[in-house]
Amino acid sequence: MAVSAGTAVAVPTSASILPRAAASCAYPYVCLFKDGLKIGQFQDVTTDWQPLPSQPSGTITITNTRLDDTAHIRFSTGSTICLPPEYTIDVAGPLTGIRISTAATC
């Protein structure tokens, strides 16, 4: 998925949905996976970016299990994407931050 500067809306395709990863991410978390292993999970709604403990790179799977909250993901380039509620998507890192919003749509 190419991401341009600014905020892009993530529109996952059926090929990017990974039931195995989604099953291991409990509600109400937004989880990050690398090579099938969970490398982070976030729950707090914030107005500022939450830094990631590391800057994961390569293919990262992000699962948003929240029912009515969006997850915004920031890349090292400054680009961002918005992940709608109940979606899983694969992205190419490195990632630098996450922000969970109470907005129900991107």
Side-chain angles (χ1 to χ4, degrees), residues 10 12 62-64 69-73 81-85 87-89 106:
I62 305 168
T63 298
N64 181 2
D69 299 326
T70 56
H72 300 265
I73 309 301
I81 61 170
C82 178
L83 188 63
Y87 273 93
T88 295
I89 190 168
C106 290

Side-chain angles (χ1 to χ4, degrees), residues 5 10 16 35-36 43 51 53 55-57 66 68 70 73-74 79 89 91-92 94 104-106:
S16 67
D35 300 325
Q43 178 180 11
Q55 289 190 6
S57 60
R66 300 176 76 94
D68 56 2
T70 56
I73 309 301
R74 183 179 62 195
S79 298
I89 190 168
V91 298
T105 59
C106 290

Side-chain angles (χ1 to χ4, degrees), residues 7-21:
T7 301
V9 175
V11 181
T13 64
S14 59
S16 67
I17 297 173
L18 303 175
R20 190 174 126 221

Side-chain angles (χ1 to χ4, degrees), residues 42-63:
F42 298 84
Q43 178 180 11
D44 296 336
V45 172
T46 61
T47 56
D48 293 321
W49 290 100
Q50 299 178 66
L52 301 179
S54 65
Q55 289 190 6
S57 60
T59 301
I60 307 298
T61 300
I62 305 168
T63 298

